[in-house]
Amino acid sequence: MMLSSIMDIDGSYMEDFFSSDPEKWLSSVRQIKNTVIGNTKQKIALLDMGIVSRLVQLMMDESTSLEMLLECVIVLNSLARCNNGSRVEHLLKSGVLIVLFRGLSHSDLKYIEACLRCLRTIFLSDVAPTDIIFQEPTLVPLLVSLMNHSRGTQECVATLFSCCCKTEEQQVVLCSSGAISELIPLLTTNVYKVQMPTLKCIAQMSYQNQAVSAEIISASCNEEQMIKLLTRLLARAKTTEMQIAAAKCLTNLHRAGVISPRDPAISIKTLSTLVRMCKKDKTIAERVEGAETLSYLIEVDLDLQQTASVADHVIISLASYFRVNTNEDDETLTSEQELSLKKAAFKAFAALGANDEDIRKKIIETENLMDHIVQAFAEANTQVQLAAVRCMHSLSRSVQQLRTSFQDHACWQPLMKMLQSNASNEVLIAASSTLCNLLLEFSPSKEHMLQQGAIDLLVDLTKRDDPALRLNGVWALMNMAFQTEQKVKERILKTVGPDQLFRLLSDPDGAILMKTLGLLRNLLSNKPHIDNIMANHGQKIIQAAVVLILEGDHPTAIKEQSLCILANIADGDTAKDFIMTNDDVLKKLMNYMNHTSIKLQVAAVFCVTNLIWSEDEDALERQAKLKDLGFQKTLQHLLSTNDSSLFDKVKTALQQFA
Amino acid sequence: MSYTAEKVEEITKEDWLDRLQNLHITRADMNRIIMNYLVTEGFKEAAEKFKMESGIQPGVDLDTLDERIKIRDAIQHGKIQDALSLVNNLHPELLDCDKTLYFHLQQQHLIELIRNKDIEGALEFAQNNLAERGQENPDILNELERTLALLAFEEPENSPFGELLHTSQRQKVASELNAAILEMEDRESTPKLANLLKLLLWSQSQLDKKKVKYPKMVDLAKGQIES
C-alpha cells in the first residue's frame, strides 16, 4: 500500500487517524507528529493525503479532548513550516484560521500558546492574508489581552502584529486596542525572541503615523523613557539584526515628527549605527536595509545629511554596493541581490545629496557612479529604475556639476529616451524633474537636447493626465525659454500652439498656471524677441495670458504674473501697440492700479511706466492718450500710499510724463 | 607614548604559582559555578545533593531537568526515536527550526542501525529520510557519505570513519541537543565553567602570540602547569 512505502514506520497509524475510533486518534496523531517534524518530504506527502481537513474537523469537534487538540495544532504548525507558498495556501483554504482563532478563546493556556505559534508560523509566510486579523473586530483586542500571559504569547502576538500591521487604519486599530502599553514592557524582558518582534512591531506601527508615534514615544517602562529603551538596544553588543531593528524604530519615530533630528539619539546614535550597517563586512541584506533606512532617516534634514556624509566613509561604503562580483570574497551574488544593492545605494546617494552642493560634488566624483545610474535607466526592474532617476534628480540640483559631469556622461540621452518610453508615471515625473534642472541656462546639455526633439517631448508631457507630469513639462519649457535664442523661443511657441496654451492657462492646477505664465514671461523677455513674437502671435497671447487670467478668478500671485507679462510686452517697441490699441486691457490696467493688493498695483504701475517710457519712440503720443484716459491723475492719487516700493514706482512713472 | 624595548622578565614557575596563590576566589563563587555546571548538563541527583551540602540554590526548579535527563539517557542508549519523541513533546518547534540538529539526530539513528548490522533498514532509512537533506546542503552530504561509507566495511569500527561508532559520538549529539533545548528555553546553553576554561585557553594563546614566556597550563583536566 502506498502509505507504507512512504513512511519508514508502518503506515497503519494513518488508518487509525482517519478511523472513527477516538481511542486510536491520540497515538496516531502523535506518530504523525513525530513523522512530520523536521521532515519536509513527509510533510508534503501527508498534506497531499488530505490530512489537514481531517485535523481541522477534529479540532472543530466539541468532544475532542484537550490532549488531542494540542497534538493537532502542533502538527498543523509543523505542516505550515513547509516553506512553500502553495502549501500554506492549501492550509488556508482548508479553514485552519477559523479553528485557530477559535482556539484563542480556550481556557487552557498551553493550547492558546500552541494556536498562537501556529498562527505566527502561517502569518510569517508571504501568502498569508494579513488583513484578516483586523476583519473581526474582537480579534485584535483579544490578542492584546493575551499578549502578556507567557513568554510564548509575548513572542507570538508581537510577531503577529508586526506581520499584519500594514496600513494606517491598522496602526490606529492596534493603538486604540491598547497594544502599545502591552508591547513596551517587552523591550525590557532581555529575551531576544521577544524583543525582536516587538521592535519590528513598533517600527511598523510608527511608520508615517504621527498620532501613533506620539503615543509610543510618551510611553515608558520602569521610569525609563522610550528613547532610552530603544537606544539601549542599539548598542554594539547586540546583534546586527537587533541594532537595525532598533534603528528602524528610531528612524520611523523621528520621521513621524516625535523625535527631533537634533536629539543625539538620532543625530549620533541612530545615524552612526545605520552608517555602520553599510560597511562591507555586513551581509547583503543588512547593507541593503542599512542604506535604505539611512536614506529615509536623512532625506529631509540638511544637518543629518551633512553629518552622514562625513560619517565613517559612508560614501565609500555605498560606492562598494556597485562593485559586486568583483570583490575579494568568492560570494557570487544573484542578480536580485545585485539589483537590491544598487537600488539601496541610489536611494542613499539621493538622500545624501538632496540639499548640499559639497556633498553632491563628493558623490558625483565617486568612481563610475554616473555610469551606474545611466545603466540602471535601462533596467527592467522599475524600482531600480526609479531609484536611479531619483538619484540623478537629486544630483542634478548641482549647478556646477551640470557643466561637467552630466555633459561627460551624456545623461540627457537616456533621460530623453526614458521620457519617450512607457515607463510608469513615478519614473516619468522624476525624469522630467531632472530634465527641468538640466535645461537651466548654463547647462551644456541644452543644445543636445534641443536637437533631439526635446521641445516636442516636453509639449507632449503638458498634455498628460497626471498633473505632476504636466507641471514638469511646462516647467521644463519655461527653463528652456529662459534667456535663450529667438529661434528656440519661436519653436517653443509654435510647438505648444495657441490651443494648448489656452488649455494650460485653464488648468485646474494653480502651479501649472504659474509655470505657464512663467513660460510666457521668459518668452517675452528681451526687446527684439518681444517685438518679433508679438508680431507673430500677439493677439493670441494677449487673449490667452492677459485677458483670460486677469478676468478670471485667480489668486493674487497668478494675476501678478500676468501683469508682469503685460509689463514685458510694454517693454517692446512695436509690441506696445498691442496694449495701447486695446481699450479693454487699458481699462484693466487702470483698475489694477487701484487694486487692494499692493503687489498688483506695483505690477500695473510698472507696466504703465514701460508704456510711457520717455526714451522710447512715440512716447509723447502714448503719454497723451493715457493722460486722457486719466492715468496721470490716478498715479498722482497713488502718491499718498504708505508702501515705499509702490511709491517709488509711481514716482518713476510720473517722472516720465513730459 | 611608546614603549622602549625593555628586557621582559622571565617568570619562574614558583613565582607564578605564588602569584596564583595570592588570588582569592570565594568558595561561594566556585560553588555557584559547579551548581551551574550540574544543572546545565542535567545532573539532577548531583545537583540536589550539592544543594543540600553547599546551600547554593540551583536557580531553576530541578524537576525541569527531568525531561532533559530522559532525552540525554535515550541518546546515550542509542534510542534515537525515543529521544525524538521526547523532544517533540517538550519543544515541538525545535527540530523544525534547527535543521542541522535534526540531521545529526537522524544521522545518529542511522549509525545505530549500522551498529546493529541492520543493513537493509539502514539503507531504507537513508533513502527515505536523509537523501533529500544531502541534496540541499553539501556539508550534510559529506557527513552522510561518511556515515554510509561504514556499510562498505566488514568491520566498520576499524574503518577510517570508525569514530562515528564510538560512544563519544552519542555524547556529542546528546550535548548538541541539550544545548539546543536550553537555548529554546532562553537559558544559557553552555556551562559557565566551559566559558572560563575557554577564556583561560584564549589568554594563553594571546600570550603565546606575543611570545611571552610564562608557565603554561598544559593539562586542563589536571590543572598541570609545565615546568
PDB file of all heavy atoms in Angstrom, chain A residues 37 68 108 119 124 130 154-155 186 198 214 226 228 243 257 376 390 404 442 450 461 517 535 551 566 573 587 649 652:
ATOM      1  N   ILE A  37       7.727  16.354  11.892  1.00  0.00           N
ATOM      2  CA  ILE A  37       8.631  17.375  12.417  1.00  0.00           C
ATOM      3  C   ILE A  37      10.021  17.181  11.845  1.00  0.00           C
ATOM      4  O   ILE A  37      10.621  16.124  11.963  1.00  0.00           O
ATOM      5  CB  ILE A  37       8.673  17.352  13.962  1.00  0.00           C
ATOM      6  CG1 ILE A  37       7.342  17.864  14.503  1.00  0.00           C
ATOM      7  CG2 ILE A  37       9.808  18.225  14.483  1.00  0.00           C
ATOM      8  CD1 ILE A  37       7.280  17.936  16.009  1.00  0.00           C
ATOM      9  N   MET A  68      -5.752  15.872  22.620  1.00  0.00           N
ATOM     10  CA  MET A  68      -5.851  15.657  21.185  1.00  0.00           C
ATOM     11  C   MET A  68      -5.741  16.973  20.437  1.00  0.00           C
ATOM     12  O   MET A  68      -5.024  17.086  19.441  1.00  0.00           O
ATOM     13  CB  MET A  68      -7.204  14.986  20.909  1.00  0.00           C
ATOM     14  CG  MET A  68      -7.395  14.538  19.497  1.00  0.00           C
ATOM     15  SD  MET A  68      -6.224  13.245  19.058  1.00  0.00           S
ATOM     16  CE  MET A  68      -6.465  13.225  17.309  1.00  0.00           C
ATOM     17  N   ASP A 108      -7.410  26.815  28.263  1.00  0.00           N
ATOM     18  CA  ASP A 108      -6.087  26.268  28.583  1.00  0.00           C
ATOM     19  C   ASP A 108      -4.976  27.087  27.929  1.00  0.00           C
ATOM     20  O   ASP A 108      -4.925  27.238  26.703  1.00  0.00           O
ATOM     21  CB  ASP A 108      -6.015  24.817  28.096  1.00  0.00           C
ATOM     22  CG  ASP A 108      -4.700  24.162  28.493  1.00  0.00           C
ATOM     23  OD1 ASP A 108      -4.615  23.634  29.603  1.00  0.00           O
ATOM     24  OD2 ASP A 108      -3.753  24.224  27.683  1.00  0.00           O
ATOM     25  N   LEU A 119      -0.436  30.214  14.299  1.00  0.00           N
ATOM     26  CA  LEU A 119      -0.808  31.437  13.588  1.00  0.00           C
ATOM     27  C   LEU A 119       0.430  32.222  13.191  1.00  0.00           C
ATOM     28  O   LEU A 119       0.537  32.728  12.080  1.00  0.00           O
ATOM     29  CB  LEU A 119      -1.708  32.313  14.476  1.00  0.00           C
ATOM     30  CG  LEU A 119      -3.153  31.851  14.590  1.00  0.00           C
ATOM     31  CD1 LEU A 119      -3.868  32.583  15.716  1.00  0.00           C
ATOM     32  CD2 LEU A 119      -3.879  32.105  13.274  1.00  0.00           C
ATOM     33  N   LEU A 124       3.879  34.487   9.051  1.00  0.00           N
ATOM     34  CA  LEU A 124       5.229  34.842   8.622  1.00  0.00           C
ATOM     35  C   LEU A 124       5.424  34.529   7.141  1.00  0.00           C
ATOM     36  O   LEU A 124       6.349  35.021   6.513  1.00  0.00           O
ATOM     37  CB  LEU A 124       6.282  34.081   9.440  1.00  0.00           C
ATOM     38  CG  LEU A 124       6.618  34.718  10.784  1.00  0.00           C
ATOM     39  CD1 LEU A 124       7.531  33.805  11.586  1.00  0.00           C
ATOM     40  CD2 LEU A 124       7.308  36.059  10.580  1.00  0.00           C
ATOM     41  N   THR A 130      -2.840  39.007   5.553  1.00  0.00           N
ATOM     42  CA  THR A 130      -2.539  39.708   6.801  1.00  0.00           C
ATOM     43  C   THR A 130      -3.645  40.623   7.296  1.00  0.00           C
ATOM     44  O   THR A 130      -3.678  40.966   8.467  1.00  0.00           O
ATOM     45  CB  THR A 130      -1.267  40.545   6.644  1.00  0.00           C
ATOM     46  OG1 THR A 130      -1.418  41.380   5.488  1.00  0.00           O
ATOM     47  CG2 THR A 130      -0.045  39.670   6.494  1.00  0.00           C
ATOM     48  N   GLN A 154       3.898  36.317  24.368  1.00  0.00           N
ATOM     49  CA  GLN A 154       4.563  37.578  24.052  1.00  0.00           C
ATOM     50  C   GLN A 154       5.182  37.515  22.662  1.00  0.00           C
ATOM     51  O   GLN A 154       4.956  38.373  21.801  1.00  0.00           O
ATOM     52  CB  GLN A 154       5.673  37.878  25.078  1.00  0.00           C
ATOM     53  CG  GLN A 154       5.182  38.287  26.436  1.00  0.00           C
ATOM     54  CD  GLN A 154       6.309  38.356  27.449  1.00  0.00           C
ATOM     55  OE1 GLN A 154       7.396  37.816  27.248  1.00  0.00           O
ATOM     56  NE2 GLN A 154       6.073  39.033  28.560  1.00  0.00           N
ATOM     57  N   GLU A 155       5.967  36.464  22.474  1.00  0.00           N
ATOM     58  CA  GLU A 155       6.684  36.333  21.209  1.00  0.00           C
ATOM     59  C   GLU A 155       5.705  36.255  20.041  1.00  0.00           C
ATOM     60  O   GLU A 155       5.864  36.954  19.043  1.00  0.00           O
ATOM     61  CB  GLU A 155       7.539  35.066  21.253  1.00  0.00           C
ATOM     62  CG  GLU A 155       8.321  34.813  19.988  1.00  0.00           C
ATOM     63  CD  GLU A 155       8.887  33.389  19.932  1.00  0.00           C
ATOM     64  OE1 GLU A 155       9.056  32.786  21.010  1.00  0.00           O
ATOM     65  OE2 GLU A 155       9.127  32.915  18.817  1.00  0.00           O
ATOM     66  N   LEU A 186       7.827  44.717  26.862  1.00  0.00           N
ATOM     67  CA  LEU A 186       8.516  43.566  26.290  1.00  0.00           C
ATOM     68  C   LEU A 186       9.946  43.902  25.900  1.00  0.00           C
ATOM     69  O   LEU A 186      10.803  43.024  25.789  1.00  0.00           O
ATOM     70  CB  LEU A 186       7.760  43.042  25.055  1.00  0.00           C
ATOM     71  CG  LEU A 186       6.314  42.595  25.295  1.00  0.00           C
ATOM     72  CD1 LEU A 186       5.749  41.968  24.030  1.00  0.00           C
ATOM     73  CD2 LEU A 186       6.251  41.596  26.421  1.00  0.00           C
ATOM     74  N   THR A 198       8.986  42.597  18.922  1.00  0.00           N
ATOM     75  CA  THR A 198       8.450  43.836  19.492  1.00  0.00           C
ATOM     76  C   THR A 198       9.011  45.043  18.766  1.00  0.00           C
ATOM     77  O   THR A 198       8.288  45.970  18.409  1.00  0.00           O
ATOM     78  CB  THR A 198       8.794  43.932  20.991  1.00  0.00           C
ATOM     79  OG1 THR A 198       8.380  42.747  21.645  1.00  0.00           O
ATOM     80  CG2 THR A 198       8.104  45.115  21.630  1.00  0.00           C
ATOM     81  N   ALA A 214       3.332  59.463  18.527  1.00  0.00           N
ATOM     82  CA  ALA A 214       3.310  60.299  19.721  1.00  0.00           C
ATOM     83  C   ALA A 214       2.989  59.466  20.949  1.00  0.00           C
ATOM     84  O   ALA A 214       3.587  59.634  22.015  1.00  0.00           O
ATOM     85  CB  ALA A 214       2.291  61.414  19.550  1.00  0.00           C
ATOM     86  N   MET A 226      11.055  55.885  26.359  1.00  0.00           N
ATOM     87  CA  MET A 226      11.169  55.090  25.138  1.00  0.00           C
ATOM     88  C   MET A 226      12.493  55.273  24.440  1.00  0.00           C
ATOM     89  O   MET A 226      13.111  54.309  23.989  1.00  0.00           O
ATOM     90  CB  MET A 226      10.068  55.487  24.155  1.00  0.00           C
ATOM     91  CG  MET A 226       8.907  54.542  24.055  1.00  0.00           C
ATOM     92  SD  MET A 226       9.360  52.834  24.035  1.00  0.00           S
ATOM     93  CE  MET A 226       9.464  52.536  22.308  1.00  0.00           C
ATOM     94  N   LYS A 228      15.309  56.084  25.504  1.00  0.00           N
ATOM     95  CA  LYS A 228      16.405  55.405  26.182  1.00  0.00           C
ATOM     96  C   LYS A 228      16.332  53.890  25.986  1.00  0.00           C
ATOM     97  O   LYS A 228      17.329  53.230  25.750  1.00  0.00           O
ATOM     98  CB  LYS A 228      16.353  55.720  27.683  1.00  0.00           C
ATOM     99  CG  LYS A 228      17.529  56.520  28.155  1.00  0.00           C
ATOM    100  CD  LYS A 228      17.506  56.741  29.648  1.00  0.00           C
ATOM    101  CE  LYS A 228      18.907  56.484  30.222  1.00  0.00           C
ATOM    102  NZ  LYS A 228      18.870  56.396  31.671  1.00  0.00           N
ATOM    103  N   GLN A 243      20.253  45.692  16.196  1.00  0.00           N
ATOM    104  CA  GLN A 243      20.646  47.088  16.008  1.00  0.00           C
ATOM    105  C   GLN A 243      19.848  47.718  14.876  1.00  0.00           C
ATOM    106  O   GLN A 243      19.371  48.845  14.980  1.00  0.00           O
ATOM    107  CB  GLN A 243      22.139  47.182  15.686  1.00  0.00           C
ATOM    108  CG  GLN A 243      23.035  46.867  16.875  1.00  0.00           C
ATOM    109  CD  GLN A 243      24.492  46.943  16.488  1.00  0.00           C
ATOM    110  OE1 GLN A 243      24.931  47.940  15.927  1.00  0.00           O
ATOM    111  NE2 GLN A 243      25.235  45.892  16.772  1.00  0.00           N
ATOM    112  N   GLY A 257       7.829  62.720  13.282  1.00  0.00           N
ATOM    113  CA  GLY A 257       7.826  64.028  13.915  1.00  0.00           C
ATOM    114  C   GLY A 257       7.877  64.036  15.430  1.00  0.00           C
ATOM    115  O   GLY A 257       7.727  65.093  16.036  1.00  0.00           O
ATOM    116  N   ALA A 376      21.321  51.934 -15.107  1.00  0.00           N
ATOM    117  CA  ALA A 376      20.117  51.493 -14.402  1.00  0.00           C
ATOM    118  C   ALA A 376      18.838  52.019 -15.043  1.00  0.00           C
ATOM    119  O   ALA A 376      17.753  51.513 -14.789  1.00  0.00           O
ATOM    120  CB  ALA A 376      20.189  51.921 -12.943  1.00  0.00           C
ATOM    121  N   ARG A 390      15.682  59.074  -9.523  1.00  0.00           N
ATOM    122  CA  ARG A 390      15.588  59.994  -8.387  1.00  0.00           C
ATOM    123  C   ARG A 390      16.962  60.411  -7.910  1.00  0.00           C
ATOM    124  O   ARG A 390      17.168  61.532  -7.456  1.00  0.00           O
ATOM    125  CB  ARG A 390      14.801  59.338  -7.249  1.00  0.00           C
ATOM    126  CG  ARG A 390      13.330  59.307  -7.553  1.00  0.00           C
ATOM    127  CD  ARG A 390      12.522  58.908  -6.365  1.00  0.00           C
ATOM    128  NE  ARG A 390      11.099  59.052  -6.678  1.00  0.00           N
ATOM    129  CZ  ARG A 390      10.148  58.301  -6.167  1.00  0.00           C
ATOM    130  NH1 ARG A 390      10.472  57.348  -5.318  1.00  0.00           N
ATOM    131  NH2 ARG A 390       8.890  58.498  -6.484  1.00  0.00           N
ATOM    132  N   THR A 404      29.946  69.965 -15.995  1.00  0.00           N
ATOM    133  CA  THR A 404      30.995  68.991 -16.232  1.00  0.00           C
ATOM    134  C   THR A 404      30.463  67.562 -16.318  1.00  0.00           C
ATOM    135  O   THR A 404      30.286  67.035 -17.388  1.00  0.00           O
ATOM    136  CB  THR A 404      32.057  69.075 -15.122  1.00  0.00           C
ATOM    137  OG1 THR A 404      31.374  69.027 -13.864  1.00  0.00           O
ATOM    138  CG2 THR A 404      32.806  70.371 -15.229  1.00  0.00           C
ATOM    139  N   PHE A 442      22.634  77.544 -17.993  1.00  0.00           N
ATOM    140  CA  PHE A 442      24.058  77.294 -18.158  1.00  0.00           C
ATOM    141  C   PHE A 442      24.411  75.843 -18.381  1.00  0.00           C
ATOM    142  O   PHE A 442      25.530  75.438 -18.186  1.00  0.00           O
ATOM    143  CB  PHE A 442      24.816  77.804 -16.936  1.00  0.00           C
ATOM    144  CG  PHE A 442      23.900  77.985 -15.768  1.00  0.00           C
ATOM    145  CD1 PHE A 442      23.400  76.907 -15.070  1.00  0.00           C
ATOM    146  CD2 PHE A 442      23.500  79.272 -15.405  1.00  0.00           C
ATOM    147  CE1 PHE A 442      22.551  77.100 -14.004  1.00  0.00           C
ATOM    148  CE2 PHE A 442      22.645  79.461 -14.336  1.00  0.00           C
ATOM    149  CZ  PHE A 442      22.170  78.377 -13.626  1.00  0.00           C
ATOM    150  N   LEU A 450      17.926  69.946 -27.462  1.00  0.00           N
ATOM    151  CA  LEU A 450      17.107  70.603 -28.458  1.00  0.00           C
ATOM    152  C   LEU A 450      17.151  69.835 -29.767  1.00  0.00           C
ATOM    153  O   LEU A 450      16.146  69.633 -30.431  1.00  0.00           O
ATOM    154  CB  LEU A 450      17.626  72.031 -28.688  1.00  0.00           C
ATOM    155  CG  LEU A 450      17.206  73.017 -27.599  1.00  0.00           C
ATOM    156  CD1 LEU A 450      17.932  74.335 -27.782  1.00  0.00           C
ATOM    157  CD2 LEU A 450      15.708  73.235 -27.653  1.00  0.00           C
ATOM    158  N   LEU A 461       4.372  66.118 -22.807  1.00  0.00           N
ATOM    159  CA  LEU A 461       4.178  65.952 -21.363  1.00  0.00           C
ATOM    160  C   LEU A 461       3.075  66.872 -20.857  1.00  0.00           C
ATOM    161  O   LEU A 461       2.313  66.511 -19.969  1.00  0.00           O
ATOM    162  CB  LEU A 461       5.468  66.256 -20.604  1.00  0.00           C
ATOM    163  CG  LEU A 461       6.538  65.162 -20.543  1.00  0.00           C
ATOM    164  CD1 LEU A 461       7.717  65.647 -19.703  1.00  0.00           C
ATOM    165  CD2 LEU A 461       5.991  63.885 -19.943  1.00  0.00           C
ATOM    166  N   LEU A 517       2.508  80.823 -17.133  1.00  0.00           N
ATOM    167  CA  LEU A 517       2.721  82.266 -17.197  1.00  0.00           C
ATOM    168  C   LEU A 517       4.206  82.581 -17.169  1.00  0.00           C
ATOM    169  O   LEU A 517       4.688  83.482 -17.864  1.00  0.00           O
ATOM    170  CB  LEU A 517       1.994  82.954 -16.040  1.00  0.00           C
ATOM    171  CG  LEU A 517       0.472  82.909 -16.145  1.00  0.00           C
ATOM    172  CD1 LEU A 517      -0.173  83.431 -14.868  1.00  0.00           C
ATOM    173  CD2 LEU A 517       0.012  83.754 -17.329  1.00  0.00           C
ATOM    174  N   ALA A 535       4.557  90.205 -32.862  1.00  0.00           N
ATOM    175  CA  ALA A 535       4.158  90.389 -34.258  1.00  0.00           C
ATOM    176  C   ALA A 535       3.532  89.116 -34.802  1.00  0.00           C
ATOM    177  O   ALA A 535       2.551  89.167 -35.543  1.00  0.00           O
ATOM    178  CB  ALA A 535       5.373  90.795 -35.084  1.00  0.00           C
ATOM    179  N   GLU A 551      -9.200  88.332 -16.101  1.00  0.00           N
ATOM    180  CA  GLU A 551     -10.640  88.339 -15.892  1.00  0.00           C
ATOM    181  C   GLU A 551     -11.071  87.234 -14.949  1.00  0.00           C
ATOM    182  O   GLU A 551     -12.064  87.339 -14.252  1.00  0.00           O
ATOM    183  CB  GLU A 551     -11.367  88.155 -17.232  1.00  0.00           C
ATOM    184  CG  GLU A 551     -11.529  89.456 -17.975  1.00  0.00           C
ATOM    185  CD  GLU A 551     -12.195  89.266 -19.318  1.00  0.00           C
ATOM    186  OE1 GLU A 551     -12.625  88.130 -19.617  1.00  0.00           O
ATOM    187  OE2 GLU A 551     -12.283  90.245 -20.071  1.00  0.00           O
ATOM    188  N   LEU A 566       2.356  91.523 -19.159  1.00  0.00           N
ATOM    189  CA  LEU A 566       1.936  92.758 -19.812  1.00  0.00           C
ATOM    190  C   LEU A 566       3.051  93.785 -19.775  1.00  0.00           C
ATOM    191  O   LEU A 566       3.312  94.480 -20.761  1.00  0.00           O
ATOM    192  CB  LEU A 566       0.722  93.347 -19.090  1.00  0.00           C
ATOM    193  CG  LEU A 566      -0.649  93.047 -19.691  1.00  0.00           C
ATOM    194  CD1 LEU A 566      -1.725  93.753 -18.887  1.00  0.00           C
ATOM    195  CD2 LEU A 566      -0.707  93.513 -21.141  1.00  0.00           C
ATOM    196  N   ASP A 573       9.107  97.469 -28.552  1.00  0.00           N
ATOM    197  CA  ASP A 573       8.856  98.705 -29.293  1.00  0.00           C
ATOM    198  C   ASP A 573       7.505  98.634 -29.961  1.00  0.00           C
ATOM    199  O   ASP A 573       6.551  99.293 -29.553  1.00  0.00           O
ATOM    200  CB  ASP A 573       9.975  98.935 -30.322  1.00  0.00           C
ATOM    201  CG  ASP A 573      11.223  99.451 -29.624  1.00  0.00           C
ATOM    202  OD1 ASP A 573      11.065 100.202 -28.635  1.00  0.00           O
ATOM    203  OD2 ASP A 573      12.338  99.092 -30.035  1.00  0.00           O
ATOM    204  N   LYS A 587      -8.204  99.505 -19.681  1.00  0.00           N
ATOM    205  CA  LYS A 587      -9.144  99.661 -18.569  1.00  0.00           C
ATOM    206  C   LYS A 587      -8.704  98.781 -17.403  1.00  0.00           C
ATOM    207  O   LYS A 587      -8.728  99.200 -16.244  1.00  0.00           O
ATOM    208  CB  LYS A 587     -10.545  99.269 -19.052  1.00  0.00           C
ATOM    209  CG  LYS A 587     -11.644 100.066 -18.375  1.00  0.00           C
ATOM    210  CD  LYS A 587     -13.023  99.595 -18.753  1.00  0.00           C
ATOM    211  CE  LYS A 587     -13.479 100.194 -20.077  1.00  0.00           C
ATOM    212  NZ  LYS A 587     -14.723  99.592 -20.565  1.00  0.00           N
ATOM    213  N   LYS A 649       7.796 103.338  -7.460  1.00  0.00           N
ATOM    214  CA  LYS A 649       7.380 103.029  -8.827  1.00  0.00           C
ATOM    215  C   LYS A 649       6.511 104.150  -9.392  1.00  0.00           C
ATOM    216  O   LYS A 649       6.640 104.554 -10.562  1.00  0.00           O
ATOM    217  CB  LYS A 649       6.578 101.703  -8.841  1.00  0.00           C
ATOM    218  CG  LYS A 649       7.408 100.468  -8.566  1.00  0.00           C
ATOM    219  CD  LYS A 649       7.973  99.897  -9.865  1.00  0.00           C
ATOM    220  CE  LYS A 649       8.815  98.635  -9.713  1.00  0.00           C
ATOM    221  NZ  LYS A 649       9.632  98.524  -8.556  1.00  0.00           N
ATOM    222  N   THR A 652       8.566 107.119 -10.345  1.00  0.00           N
ATOM    223  CA  THR A 652       9.267 106.892 -11.609  1.00  0.00           C
ATOM    224  C   THR A 652       8.318 107.087 -12.781  1.00  0.00           C
ATOM    225  O   THR A 652       8.658 107.688 -13.798  1.00  0.00           O
ATOM    226  CB  THR A 652       9.840 105.458 -11.671  1.00  0.00           C
ATOM    227  OG1 THR A 652      10.513 105.196 -10.438  1.00  0.00           O
ATOM    228  CG2 THR A 652      10.796 105.297 -12.828  1.00  0.00           C
TER     229      THR A 652
END
